[in-house]
Each structure stands twice: as structure tokens, then as C-alpha cells.
Amino acid sequence: MSSKNSNQDNFIQFALEANVLSFGEFKTKAGRLSPYFFNAGGFNDGARLSALGRYYAKALQESGLQYDMLYGPAYKGITLAAATAIALADGGRNVPYAYNRKEAKDHGEGGSLVGAPVKGKVVIIDDVISAGTSVRESVKLIRDAGAEPAAVLIALDRMEKSGTATEIGDKSAVQAVEQEFGLPVVAIANLADLMAFLTTSSNAELTNYLPAVKAYREKYGI
């Protein structure tokens, strides 16, 4: 197994242990019944956040992308970008990071961007891409600041077509972002990795979910 695969497998195992990734029956915002659920809000203590930052940093390094700084969209992206910046610095690469506040401040420094000056090639860090709205806003803020969005870095790519349970789009939210903005999207892990993980798992409780995940992918997957 290559080191790339083990980073993904380790991440999936880590997400399962943190109850960030769970299997069962979950209704998505789009009204689909999903056999799995991923909620990055569950990386909610110091040790988990530190480990998560290392997974993001490793995925970014393995992507080989050129970048100058990190950007975290409020609110979830703020801690994710901060954790990744810390992990990169621990690994010997010190990069600046910035984030936005939801409400523009009318006193003090003003504006909606906080942190390092936004310039150069900027990596946007988020948990998942569901509708691409957050990416759209981030791209605009970064371009308005005179910088260049370089990539979007997420934890999990669901590899799932947009739309609802009955109206199924022709591409995923990630593909839509890649096409609309010409930006690469780098994920720590994706649905194919998740299926590979379940297939090779020796945990019977987990392998039981494989048929449901497979069926879901056949119906909604890209």
C-alpha cells in the first residue's frame, strides 16, 4: 500500500474513532438517505484538531500544489486553516493564514478579512463542499484582495451528484467548483477511499455497510 493510501485509510479510521464519520441511515440536506454521515464539528478537542491539521497538511503536501498562504472561510474554515498552518509550521514550512468574518466591522481595522494580508496563491480550506456557496464567496474575497485562489482543500469528497433524492444533477459539487473556477479540489479522502477502506476492513460491523454504500454510490455517485 502506498503512503498516499495509508494517509487516507488512517484518516478514515481517525474519523470513525472520533465519531465524525458514522454509518447507518441519515437524511442529507438534499433529502437523500445516505448510509454514512460526516460531521467535521466532531473534531472538537485539542488532540483531534491537531491530528486533523496534520492530515490536511499531508494532503496538501502530497498534492504538489504551489501555494503561498491558507484561507479559512468563516466559521468552520477558521479553525481548519489555523490547525493546518500549525501542522505545516511544525513540519518546517511556515505559511501565513487569513480568514473572513461574517459581519464586516465598521470600526478598528474594518473590512471582513482578518489575519495575514491576502496575497499570492491562496489555498481555501473547508470541511466539505456541498453547494459551493462558501467557495464562491471565498474566491470573490480573495480575488477582490488582489490575490489568486490556488486550490480548495477539503476533508472528504462525497463524489456525489448534486440535486435531491429524485432530481439528480450531472456532476458533483466538487466537479462544479473545479469547472466554474478552474480550481483543483484536494480531499484528504473521498468516497472511493471509503469503499476501499470498508472492503479491506476486518471489522464485520463495518463491512456490513458496504452494500448500502455501494448502492448509494451507484445511484448518486460520479
Side-chain angles (χ1 to χ4, degrees), residues 5 45 92 134 167 176 179 181 215:
N5 286 344
D45 64 27
S134 157
E167 303 284 318
Q179 286 169 16
F181 305 110

Side-chain angles (χ1 to χ4, degrees), residues 27-32 130 163-164:
K27 196 156 209 170
T28 68
K29 273 187 197 149
R32 294 174 180 171
S130 42
T164 62

Side-chain angles (χ1 to χ4, degrees), residues 153-164:
L153 178 61
I154 57 174
L156 183 75
D157 177 1
R158 288 182 62 104
M159 300 174 74
E160 187 175 311
K161 289 174 180 168
S162 60
T164 62

Side-chain angles (χ1 to χ4, degrees), residues 11 38 55-56 59 80 123-129 135 152-158 174 185-189:
F11 174 70
F38 181 84
Y55 282 112
Y56 272 113
L80 301 176
V123 174
I124 300 163
I125 303 190
D126 220 333
D127 56 347
V128 292
I129 294 176
V135 175
V152 185
L153 178 61
I154 57 174
L156 183 75
D157 177 1
R158 288 182 62 104
V174 165
V185 175
V186 176
I188 302 172

Side-chain angles (χ1 to χ4, degrees), residues 166-205:
T166 48
E167 303 284 318
I168 302 170
D170 56 352
K171 54 183 183 239
S172 73
V174 165
Q175 288 174 320
V177 160
E178 289 180 328
Q179 286 169 16
E180 184 178 346
F181 305 110
L183 282 180
V185 175
V186 176
I188 302 172
N190 61 31
L191 183 57
D193 299 321
L194 188 55
M195 287 178 66
F197 178 87
L198 290 177
T199 305
T200 56
S201 173
S202 52
N203 179 334
E205 199 188 335

